[in-house]
Amino acid sequence: MTFPPPHRAHRSGGTSPRSVGPLVRALATALALLPLSSTALAADKPRIAVFSGPTATIQNNAPLITSNKAREQYGLPLRKDAYGRTLTDWPRYQRLAAPATIYIEMFTAHPLESQVSELYAAPDGYVNASGEFSKEKKSPSDKPAYAVTLKPEDGLYALPYMGRQSDGSAWESTSTKPGAPFAQSRQTFVPDPSRIFEEIERNGGGIFSKADYDFYRGVPAAGYPKGLPAAKRTDIGEGDIAPEKLGEDFFTYGPYGAAQTRPMLAQAANRMQAALSSGKYAGALWLEGSPTSEGTVYWLNLLVDTPLPISVNSAHRHRGVISADGDGNILDSINYVLSKIWAGPDGKNRLGAVMVQDEMIYSGREIVKGDAHPGGYVATGGYGGILGVMTTGGYITNVPTRKHTWNSEVRVTALPATIDGLLRHDGKFHKVPVAIKDAKGELVPKAIPKVAMLKGDNWYDDAGEPNPAGEKGFTATFDMLLEKYPLAGVVAEGLSPYASLSRSQDMALEKAVLCGLPVVRVARGDAHALVNTNPNNLFIEGSNAIATKARLLLTAALMKYGPLPHAADPEKPTPAEITAIKEKVKLYQALFDTH
């Protein structure tokens, strides 16, 4: 079987020509000879944009360990189990450097093939006890065999891993030795999803017969510390890749962990927005780590202006282990995009960004990770959150009423180019212009607001009168936000379902509002009720959103509406100032009621 070559691209946003491999040229020649109707049919093959996200187990692999084949060849100690038995090698997918003819023993693909040997064509020849091949059987012990020439252009084959360290010793883990620095270790994550898709195809996934794919490094989990020439790129992008740094350009977990940073939210939205605005795609997949994908899916749901489907995938088991779940999730997402079960009567996506996990279709607003095993995702909020299933080929049971993607009021295209932020210096408030989007209409990474999360409870305050001044932790957070971040806010998690905190904490939060910080109050944990909107207080009620989801919506809302009006003297606000604050809070409240 011949596999499609890796996608090599030299354009940003899909406007420049792609480099075309010999197989693609051959396909183009063949299509030119087909009748017009067949050519048109081939040209209509859907294309899906696939994005690499951070800390993604779904893009992670078990470490490459030197095989016993290599150890035997180079005189190294063999790998053995605790009982002294030699371990069986785990073949790893690799590419041939040159054609190689091999001989495959007949009737070994299944233990019962030989029971119906009369149904089979004759073998290509026979192999004797010395390993010699001949067309004729010369001894009763000769084995019937197929002769096949494997070629580099066939794609990946599972082969013994022969790699060793530079000093000739075997690789026993990712690094040269325990505790070695990152520079002396190999990466296990892939830099973009192209390799994953090639392996899925080789494993029988059949994904290249369904669609074509372009691979984007959204906020990738692996990178090129030495850079990469444009000619070797397998992702969509322009020119050479400059040397990349862990924690700045790519984000991983493990012994060299580096979590993605807040400004990267802009990059995630910008890159998907640009791709899905190109008119080339049937939809998009985003691959990310299981603990953080629940936030990214809601962010894309709010920010990306597109009528096309977006499906986010993660995995709880890395690639190659028994029963890895990631490949199945990817296949289900491909089928989800192509099924069009997401489309309304107008053809637009009616479900928003979703996560397709373990054959279930989850709303991007409600899904969270519950535990680290397949099936460990749950829907929050108490009013659904599971939109359908992929088990039967794709079926939708619920359609969300919340705004998303193309009708979201905080989508990138609906945000202002600039907005006035607010900073406090020496006790005085100052307006600070903040550039939200650049000349190309893309989000500016530095514009992403800072939203803190605070938690409260009952049986908390000291005896006597409530004392907001005693809430030093809260006030320190407010001071940090007001003095450093021109766009900032707070999500406060309180009692369920009322979202109230202790009286001292509530009073401290009220003062934060009077200083211009919007405060969203949500119920603790996964409360199965809506927080009642109270027009008489100064807070935004978070409906049934959990704190982490509310944080992302408030982040987006700040870029649309900016800070609240502040009181000249937060200790003594005037009635007019209170009224102005409440009017601005209504704008925020409308977003939380509808998104």
Side-chain angles (χ1 to χ4, degrees):
M1 181 176 183
T2 300
F3 288 84
H7 290 278
R8 304 191 185 279
H10 309 284
R11 71 184 186 279
S12 177
T15 56
S16 302
R18 298 175 65 88
S19 63
V20 182
L23 291 176
V24 178
R25 286 195 293 271
L27 178 61
T29 301
L31 288 175
L33 300 176
L34 292 174
L36 180 60
S37 59
S38 298
T39 303
L41 181 63
D44 291 336
K45 187 177 183 182
R47 182 174 292 274
I48 297 174
V50 186
F51 293 81
S52 173
T55 62
T57 300
I58 197 169
Q59 299 178 123
N60 198 12
N61 300 276
L64 294 168
I65 306 301
T66 302
S67 66
N68 276 337
K69 281 289 185 185
R71 294 166 193 255
E72 182 179 38
Q73 180 172 321
Y74 297 111
L76 299 172
L78 299 181
R79 298 181 72 231
K80 297 183 178 182
D81 63 20
Y83 306 98
R85 296 176 181 174
T86 302
L87 291 172
T88 300
D89 277 338
W90 176 7
R92 308 300 290 265
Y93 279 124
Q94 297 165 82
R95 303 189 193 281
L96 295 174
T101 299
I102 65 169
Y103 303 102
I104 303 171
E105 184 178 348
M106 200 172 183
F107 304 132
T108 58
H110 190 280
L112 296 178
E113 277 190 294
S114 61
Q115 293 292 301
V116 287
S117 58
E118 70 276 7
L119 303 179
Y120 282 72
D124 296 327
Y126 299 85
V127 175
N128 63 23
S130 300
E132 298 168 331
F133 177 82
S134 65
K135 291 286 188 180
E136 305 296 330
K137 186 173 184 178
K138 299 180 180 180
S139 167
S141 63
D142 288 356
K143 298 176 181 178
Y146 301 114
V148 58
T149 299
L150 307 183
K151 302 176 181 178
E153 57 265 31
D154 294 342
L156 300 170
Y157 282 109
L159 301 165
Y161 184 67
M162 303 298 288
R164 297 172 294 148
Q165 295 192 43
S166 58
D167 63 0
S169 62
W171 286 107
E172 305 290 359
S173 66
T174 58
S175 58
T176 56
K177 59 184 179 181
F182 178 71
Q184 295 176 21
S185 178
R186 302 167 297 163
Q187 297 183 63
T188 56
F189 295 83
V190 294
D192 70 65
S194 59
R195 175 59 177 256
I196 293 173
F197 275 55
E198 192 174 357
E199 290 185 7
I200 292 174
E201 184 76 358
R202 177 58 89 182
N203 282 335
I207 57 176
F208 285 104
S209 65
K210 297 175 179 290
D212 291 327
Y213 308 90
D214 285 339
F215 302 105
Y216 291 84
R217 301 181 71 219
V219 182
Y224 301 97
K226 296 181 179 178
L228 191 74
K232 291 187 176 182
R233 293 186 71 156
T234 53
D235 69 311
I236 298 295
E238 188 73 37
D240 298 342
I241 295 177
E244 296 181 323
K245 289 187 66 176
L246 175 66
E248 293 184 11
D249 303 296
F250 59 99
F251 305 89
T252 181
Y253 62 77
Y256 310 101
Q260 57 271 34
T261 55
R262 189 179 73 262
M264 287 290 131
L265 285 170
Q267 182 169 297
N270 288 338
R271 291 187 174 177
M272 183 168 282
Q273 182 69 61
L276 295 188
S277 297
S278 68
K280 298 192 316 170
Y281 298 112
L285 275 58
W286 180 281
L287 312 181
E288 188 171 327
S290 56
T292 61
S293 53
E294 64 191 46
T296 303
V297 66
Y298 189 43
W299 180 252
L300 299 174
N301 183 74
L302 293 170
L303 271 291
V304 179
D305 185 359
T306 181
L308 300 172
I310 299 171
S311 181
V312 174
N313 287 132
S314 68
H316 288 111
R317 298 169 179 164
H318 59 62
R319 298 183 51 72
V321 303
I322 293 175
S323 195
D325 54 320
D327 291 1
N329 291 333
I330 289 173
L331 181 58
D332 279 342
S333 274
I334 292 170
N335 290 334
Y336 168 78
V337 169
L338 300 179
S339 70
K340 296 192 176 182
I341 57 175
W342 45 266
D346 58 0
K348 292 182 178 181
N349 179 17
R350 58 185 173 151
L351 305 181
V354 303
M355 283 192 72
V356 176
Q357 294 291 123
D358 309 310
E359 301 182 5
M360 306 294 287
I361 304 168
Y362 292 90
S363 161
R365 184 182 182 274
E366 277 79 25
I367 187 170
V368 297
K369 180 176 179 176
D371 198 2
H373 62 78
Y377 279 99
V378 296
T380 65
Y383 297 99
I386 297 176
L387 306 182
V389 297
M390 293 303 299
T391 310
T392 58
Y395 187 82
I396 299 302
T397 57
N398 295 290
V399 178
T401 59
R402 303 276 181 171
K403 293 184 178 181
H404 58 77
T405 54
W406 56 271
N407 68 355
S408 167
E409 293 182 26
V410 289
R411 64 193 186 277
V412 171
T413 55
L415 295 178
T418 61
I419 200 166
D420 283 336
L422 185 69
L423 286 176
R424 188 182 66 191
H425 181 66
D426 291 335
K428 296 182 179 180
F429 293 95
H430 306 273
K431 287 186 178 181
V432 178
V434 178
I436 302 298
K437 297 190 290 190
D438 60 20
K440 296 187 295 182
E442 294 185 342
L443 287 179
V444 176
K446 290 183 179 180
I448 302 297
K450 180 81 166 182
V451 175
M453 293 194 293
L454 301 173
K455 191 175 181 71
D457 199 4
N458 210 342
W459 300 77
Y460 177 83
D461 286 351
D462 298 334
E465 292 294 319
N467 179 24
E471 297 302 321
K472 299 297 185 183
F474 275 31
T475 56
T477 296
F478 304 151
D479 290 343
M480 177 266 294
L481 295 175
L482 290 167
E483 293 168 9
K484 187 174 180 180
Y485 300 97
L487 295 178
V490 175
V491 172
E493 187 182 74
L495 300 182
S496 178
Y498 313 105
S500 57
L501 286 73
S502 78
R503 184 57 188 143
S504 292
Q505 291 173 322
D506 265 345
M507 292 172 69
L509 290 168
E510 288 171 354
K511 184 174 178 181
V513 173
L514 294 170
C515 291
L517 294 175
V519 173
V520 179
R521 293 200 310 181
V522 297
R524 66 169 177 253
D526 175 18
H528 288 193
L530 302 174
V531 179
N532 288 332
T533 300
N534 181 358
N536 296 317
N537 68 24
L538 301 179
F539 302 125
I540 305 156
E541 271 74 42
S543 187
N544 64 335
I546 62 173
T548 52
K549 304 283 186 173
R551 172 181 165 265
L552 289 166
L553 179 51
L554 182 55
T555 299
L558 278 159
M559 293 189 291
K560 185 177 182 69
Y561 293 131
L564 300 177
H566 66 87
D569 181 358
E571 299 292 344
K572 299 177 181 179
T574 67
E577 289 172 334
I578 294 293
T579 299
I581 292 171
K582 288 183 177 181
E583 287 301 310
K584 188 72 173 279
V585 165
K586 287 181 181 179
L587 297 177
Y588 277 92
Q589 189 63 61
L591 290 178
F592 277 82
D593 289 342
T594 57
H595 288 69

